[in-house]
Amino acid sequence: MLRFGRLNCPKLNISSRLLYSTSSQVVKKVIGIDLGTTNSAVAYIRDSNDKKSATIIENDEGQRTTPSIVAFDVKSSPQNKEQMKTLVGMAAKRQNAVNAENTFFATKRLIGRAFDDKEVQRDMSIMPYKIVKCEFNGQAYLSTSNGLIQSPSQIGSILLKYLKQVSEEYLGEEVNLAVITVPAYFNDSQRQATKDAGKLAGLNVLRVINEPTAAALSFGIDDKRNNGLVAVYDLGGGTFDISILDIEDGVFEVRATNGDTHLGGEDFDNVIVNYIIDTFIKENPEITREEITKNRETMQRLKDISERAKIDLSHVKKTVIELPFVYKSKHLRMSMTEEELDNMTLSLIKRTIPPVKQALVDADIEAENIDEVILVGGMTRMPKIRSVVKDLFGRSPNSSVNPDETVALGAAIQGGVLSGEIKNVLLLDVTPLTLGIETFGGAFSPLIPRNTTVPVRKTEIFSTGVDGQTGVDIKVFQGERGLVRNNKLIGDLKLTGITPLPKGIPQIYVTFDIDADGIINVSAAEKSSGKEQSITVIPNSGLSEQEIAKLVEEANANRAQDNLIRQRLELISKADIMISDTENLFKRYEKLISSEMEYPKIVNDIKAVKQAIKDFKTNENDMSIDVNGIKKATDALQGRALKLFQSATKHQQQ
Ligand SMILES: Nc1ncnc2c1ncn2[C@@H]1O[C@H](COP(=O)(O)OP(=O)(O)OP(=O)(O)O)[C@@H](O)[C@H]1O
């Protein structure tokens, strides 16, 4: 088995913080796109002399946001599926109820996710369209009723193509450069998939930036009043993000970020749908739940009225929900109050609290030191959410920001920075989770801690754990726990053909390079053999909401135990290398030292320590093994070996 250990010699840490260049000149227009779960928006910089001139581009229906919905008319091209008529935005939304199976909405929830992901499985049971497994990469794809299979990136690209076209018509020029926003908690795979969607739409995506950061950019641009610590609470259609930023004279530094990539308005709608079905069944006991849920069209109509009721209740205390022909000739009529909505969705709202608290801890800031709280995302119009946020921060959120438009405006500003239209603005974003590799005994060796500013590049030297090893398997993990088995494997890199040397001797330089889009590149090089390998990490799936919450929670709960296991592993790793060095020296100088009186005793003791190390390796979790004792015995042996060498040299000279 190939083993991989941290090198037992002074470490070389090359850590650099490369700042964005603000002077790069891209002469053409760069549009900023908020590719949302429910709604998307696009913006541009109207006047390059005015930083505050970021402007929303209205779509062909005169709307400032476009529903993130793509529909296929399966009847339009029965012979050739590829040429089916496609509807985008409002046009797709209008026909949703009569073509539910072929109307794809909220597909951002699936982007870059594995089919087997728990969240995807849950969505499958509630979405009216078909989600299938892509045989090639195991990811969640979408299928029309006539079997046209598309990735969520492809669906995203149809939306982006539409927004590109709308922008070109509005601006009267060709547009092919864009900045696209993603939830801060999107992992590498989800970011890559978003970039792919841009590429498929014919857009050169200059940068992928985090939604809350974009919101802060549009809030704080060129306004000294807005200097200070800002919290951006972003609850949209499908994701929740919290970011803490420090804004100081044009420098936007993200101090910490946290969130949940599977929590948003869609979940609120689903809770209401279930409540309505329960109420309807109670009134009509002859109808079963399944009879209603299996009808995709009915489910879609229920979802639409649920969303409408939710939005109404942000403005009125009570609303009436009516839906004719819910089941055969039965109609639905009921009322719902704001209080009822608050109660049934409280557990969802509460799920935003731990990420906020964690972000504050990570940023090392008390809630009362936050100068401004900005609300982003349509869901933050719900009064209960506003009051929970107010209680969390002890202050009323800022009301000057438009929660639907601010992200696209911020993306346009970043586009302006990249095109050179906007000067003296610097954006420093961070990694959401710790990145590292597996080392000896399954320990997680972090290279880049979470909330490190990107872009970042870091190199550390590692070595082999077995004599004569000619290859290492570098497993890249993401997470907060001390042992890799509790973190998420996001990539795998094999370095082969290295010169066989005793363990601990080869120097393997492992470099992590995270670019400004948050995309990770890992490379490994072994100096003596000149071998090099690199990969762009494309993880298999995103982290689910439970996984994220669990990761942080478990990391906190198990920190002491994890540290202990790690320390034990490191002690044994060092002892192992020391003992084999001594053994090798004994073999090499056997003639010189074998006549010494101490020699057989030390050889026996080396054997005993080696056996103890072997026993430990077969049961690393056995806490009854005295690791400190093994290390002490190794140190003592090294001392005794040194004395033996000194005495043998003396005897030889005499
Ligand atoms: N007045 C309102 N009250 C409550 N909810 C609302 C209101 N207006 C919009 N919403 C909800 O906000 C959500 C859409 O928000 P938004 O358009 O900001 O999301 P998005 O950008 O598409 O999503 P994400 O940021 O998660 O990708 C929908 O679930 C919608 O029902």
Side-chain angles (χ1 to χ4, degrees), residues 205-226:
V205 183
L206 297 182
R207 182 89 23 109
V208 169
I209 63 168
N210 293 334
E211 287 161 10
T213 314
L217 260 181
S218 107
F219 166 76
I221 192 82
D222 199 27
D223 207 338
K224 289 261 163 55
R225 273 184 311 119
N226 296 337

Side-chain angles (χ1 to χ4, degrees), residues 36-39 108 211 236-239 265 307 310 314 377-379 381:
T37 309
T38 320
N39 296 299
K108 181 171 158 183
E211 287 161 10
T239 53
E307 186 185 11
K310 174 187 76 177
S314 289
M379 278 310 303
R381 291 210 172 87

Side-chain angles (χ1 to χ4, degrees), residues 289-305:
R289 173 171 260 278
E290 212 215 332
E291 280 168 322
I292 296 174
T293 55
K294 74 177 181 210
N295 186 327
R296 287 174 189 246
E297 192 181 319
T298 305
M299 287 303 281
Q300 189 50 50
R301 290 168 64 215
L302 282 170
K303 198 157 172 304
D304 288 346
I305 53 155

